[in-house]
Amino acid sequence: MMPSQETNPMGGARRKDRLSNTSQKTHSTGSHTLQTGAKAFKERLRIGLMFWCAPIYPFVGSPRPKNRPMKTICKRKCLILLLCLLFPYVNLGGAEEYSGVRPSAVDTVNIVRRSYPYVALYNTFAKWAAYSGWNKILFSGRLAGHTARSVARPNNDTLNLTALLDLRKEAVIVEVPAIDSKYVSMMTSAYDHYIEIPMSTTFERGDFSRPSRVLFYNQRTERYHGEPVEGVDRTCEMTGDFVAMILRAMPHLNDPPRAERIKSQLRQVTLKTLSQFKNGPGIAPADLSFPEFGRTTADVFGTNFLEVMQFVLNHTIFDPNNDMDRALLEACKALGMEPGKSFDPAKAAGIGSLRLRPVAESVEKSVRPPVNRSRLFMPKGRIDLETQLFQTVVGPLGQPEHQAIYLGSRALAKEVLNARNDYVIRIAKDQLPPAKAFWSFTLYDSRTGFFIPNDRQKYSVGENTGYQLNDEGGLDIYISAEKPVGVSDENWLPTHRNDQALDVALRIYAPDFEKMKTWKRPAIEEIKRP
């Protein structure tokens, strides 16, 4: 049955028009739309060729280890290419059909690729909500450490304040005081992982120089429909019922009094529903059962993907004119999932035969940095699927280029970094990262995307965690298990002497694009030990 206008985020009438326009691209099996064989084959071939052209190592895109025979690598690539072509149509047996759809006929690669950002963001939000709840402020007053594991590649250079917003029953108002920091930004995202920046000190319009009130809602929010509210400075229409709002602030730790002042100001951030803002009692949110989250995104694909994705579809607002939205909904419909439907566990038994977890893991390994990095972390309609997948896998909930530039080891090193070796990053005086705000180098375990635990709790080098310039005014940063003789503590990123792939991320906040034109990226060099 077609969802009603109230429960279907795309609207019943417009949805009918959309489906009629796409009838030539798909064919119907029962009440579900399946991709044509030619289109599915092309997609699998494209993924297979991506694997063929890419090295198969712990950190995707890294150079081939010196001791890995080329013959072995070619064999592995041939096997992966064959699996990419055949796997989606192999029914591993013992499974029932899901709501009338034969699992062996579903293009699993396409489904996983298009749903991956939504599943990953659901998983991240659910982990945060288990700790903080909804419509509440979460602020620790500390930089993230090695226990931060809710999102891959967290930063270690800003104070982060987070709020998870439930916009179903009421609009939510976040009140922010003036914050005495060189850099502050407000970032938002729903499950769709489209990034918006409602406020930032880089906008040169006085953001965070005075108190501000920001109202968040969506087109389905009850009791609010976009009208002006006295005392509210700006309104933000979101694309889902559940939204993450993150404030990032440069802490100025090299100036302790200022750092304490910034922390105090961030503790003054408040959150109220619209009725509470108007001095009412507030309206209790509707009861809702959230699906279980997994330790990783791949875990969700392996256990309760159908339940999570149906939940996400019901709480995301889709645009009938957006190509990526249409493609996602068509892929989900092949498994009987549509906005407004309920999850039926009795009909989900057949999903086991699709073996979505290994497909998700393959998608994770296939991502590549976009050629145009300016498309990273952009709003809806300004980002493509490949870029969205890359940012979700490598490090979700980052910021667009006008706020921060992110450069990883693949841009800075010639070979895979490994903790068995020692490295140095040498930066000349006139080649320090061109930031109008600040910059940092952060070290990660490449496989997990998390900080490497150490007794010193040292995970990054930069203005907020400290560094010492050399006699020439440049900077030398050392990555090693033991601190080299004569190297300051601030310039040492400790590792453990084991076979562990490493990743270094350079973040440049409020980049100076004019200086970027002549700036030379620093290189990570291996230190030859006797």
Side-chain angles (χ1 to χ4, degrees):
M1 182 178 69
M2 184 67 68
S4 68
Q5 185 78 18
E6 288 73 20
T7 58
N8 180 5
M10 295 189 68
R14 288 193 290 180
R15 181 177 178 81
K16 182 177 180 180
D17 293 339
R18 178 183 63 77
L19 290 179
S20 65
N21 291 335
T22 59
S23 60
Q24 293 181 350
K25 299 180 181 179
T26 59
H27 65 274
S28 178
T29 301
S31 61
H32 303 283
T33 304
L34 301 178
Q35 287 195 326
T36 61
K39 184 177 179 181
F41 181 82
K42 288 180 180 179
E43 178 70 7
R44 296 195 307 279
L45 179 60
R46 191 183 68 79
I47 295 296
L49 291 175
M50 287 176 65
F51 273 111
W52 177 264
C53 297
I56 309 299
Y57 308 121
F59 190 75
V60 178
S62 302
R64 177 171 63 92
K66 298 176 181 178
N67 60 348
R68 185 67 55 81
M70 182 59 70
K71 183 177 180 181
T72 301
I73 294 172
C74 289
K75 286 182 179 179
R76 292 184 180 183
K77 289 185 175 183
C78 288
L79 178 60
I80 290 175
L81 177 59
L82 182 62
L83 288 175
C84 285
L85 293 175
L86 299 180
F87 182 78
Y89 286 137
V90 176
N91 188 346
L92 298 180
E96 301 174 3
E97 296 182 0
Y98 176 66
S99 191
V101 175
R102 292 178 294 107
S104 59
V106 175
D107 185 356
T108 55
V109 173
N110 183 53
I111 288 173
V112 171
R113 280 167 49 80
R114 296 196 175 278
S115 62
Y116 189 96
Y118 295 81
V119 174
L121 268 289
Y122 172 84
N123 212 40
T124 298
F125 289 9
K127 290 177 183 178
W128 288 349
Y131 183 79
S132 65
W134 293 90
N135 289 345
K136 295 180 181 179
I137 298 292
L138 177 63
F139 177 61
S140 68
R142 302 185 303 273
L143 300 182
H146 67 262
T147 58
R149 290 180 171 259
S150 60
V151 62
R153 291 171 180 80
N155 74 44
N156 179 242
D157 50 27
T158 65
L159 293 170
N160 298 327
L161 179 148
T162 304
L164 293 173
L165 313 181
D166 180 351
L167 305 179
R168 292 173 297 156
K169 287 291 184 181
E170 286 198 85
V172 172
I173 296 172
V174 176
E175 185 168 358
V176 183
I179 300 176
D180 181 26
S181 175
K182 186 192 301 185
Y183 179 81
V184 190
S185 73
M186 176 185 286
M187 187 215 75
T188 63
S189 175
Y191 289 143
D192 50 23
H193 205 193
Y194 295 120
I195 301 297
E196 299 282 354
I197 307 291
M199 297 177 65
S200 172
T201 50
T202 67
F203 291 160
E204 298 181 353
R205 63 186 183 192
D207 286 355
F208 300 106
S209 64
R210 57 185 178 274
S212 300
R213 296 188 182 102
V214 184
L215 182 148
F216 297 93
Y217 75 105
N218 66 44
Q219 66 185 42
R220 299 187 304 206
T221 299
E222 298 179 18
R223 302 174 181 84
Y224 181 77
H225 306 288
E227 63 275 10
V229 176
E230 185 177 356
V232 170
D233 299 292
R234 57 173 53 90
T235 60
C236 298
E237 182 177 353
M238 307 308 298
T239 55
D241 293 336
F242 301 109
V243 172
M245 186 281 296
I246 301 174
L247 277 179
R248 292 177 171 91
M250 177 181 176
H252 293 272
L253 295 180
N254 57 346
D255 183 350
R258 188 177 185 182
E260 289 303 315
R261 189 161 59 249
I262 293 169
K263 292 179 185 179
S264 175
Q265 291 162 345
L266 287 170
R267 291 189 181 99
Q268 297 172 35
V269 176
T270 60
L271 183 153
K272 296 179 180 179
T273 63
L274 181 56
S275 61
Q276 291 171 334
F277 180 74
K278 294 179 177 179
N279 297 319
I283 300 171
D287 290 336
L288 185 65
S289 177
F290 287 78
E292 291 289 329
F293 59 85
R295 185 180 62 85
T296 66
T297 302
D299 287 342
V300 177
F301 279 100
T303 55
N304 60 334
F305 165 72
L306 280 181
E307 182 183 12
V308 167
M309 199 60 205
Q310 182 62 66
F311 182 93
V312 167
L313 291 177
N314 290 344
H315 295 285
T316 301
I317 297 172
F318 296 99
D319 180 358
N321 298 313
N322 182 278
D323 291 340
M324 288 175 63
D325 280 2
R326 290 199 302 267
L328 169 70
L329 293 177
E330 289 168 6
C332 288
K333 193 176 182 183
L335 287 176
M337 297 182 292
E338 295 181 86
K341 282 193 172 184
S342 298
F343 171 69
D344 185 353
K347 295 181 179 179
I351 194 67
S353 69
L354 293 177
R355 302 295 192 268
L356 293 183
R357 182 189 179 103
V359 179
E361 291 171 341
S362 295
V363 167
E364 291 171 348
K365 294 176 182 178
S366 73
V367 297
R368 293 292 177 273
V371 175
N372 185 357
R373 288 180 175 268
S374 65
R375 296 182 66 87
L376 281 168
F377 302 110
M378 295 300 286
K380 191 168 190 170
R382 298 175 60 187
I383 189 171
D384 58 85
L385 179 60
E386 301 300 332
T387 304
Q388 192 183 43
L389 276 170
F390 172 79
Q391 69 186 32
T392 307
V393 171
V394 174
L397 298 172
Q399 300 192 99
E401 188 180 55
H402 58 79
Q403 295 300 304
I405 287 178
Y406 306 93
L407 296 174
S409 296
R410 282 175 282 186
L412 305 175
K414 295 180 180 179
E415 295 185 348
V416 179
L417 304 183
N418 193 290
R420 292 174 299 186
N421 306 318
D422 297 339
Y423 301 92
V424 62
I425 305 172
R426 301 189 190 278
I427 310 174
K429 177 181 179 180
D430 59 349
Q431 292 298 323
L432 291 173
K436 293 181 179 179
F438 66 101
W439 52 264
S440 69
F441 288 88
T442 308
L443 182 65
Y444 299 98
D445 177 332
S446 181
R447 183 182 63 83
T448 65
F450 301 135
F451 301 133
I452 298 174
N454 62 86
D455 294 338
R456 297 173 60 252
Q457 299 184 19
K458 178 72 171 178
Y459 315 107
S460 67
V461 171
E463 185 172 345
N464 295 301
T465 53
Y467 65 87
Q468 291 289 330
L469 297 177
N470 57 34
D471 294 340
E472 290 75 34
L475 177 64
D476 301 317
I477 301 172
Y478 289 84
I479 303 169
S480 59
E482 297 84 28
K483 185 166 75 74
V485 176
V487 173
S488 66
D489 287 344
E490 293 91 339
N491 291 11
W492 174 43
L493 292 173
T495 64
H496 304 291
R497 188 74 70 197
N498 54 25
D499 186 10
Q500 179 183 37
L502 305 175
D503 184 21
V504 175
L506 167 59
R507 291 175 170 88
I508 304 175
Y509 289 87
D512 187 325
F513 289 103
E514 190 60 34
K515 291 183 179 179
M516 289 285 293
K517 295 177 182 178
T518 57
W519 176 65
K520 183 179 179 181
R521 296 177 182 178
I524 302 176
E525 303 172 2
E526 182 179 344
I527 300 174
K528 299 300 182 181
R529 289 184 290 127

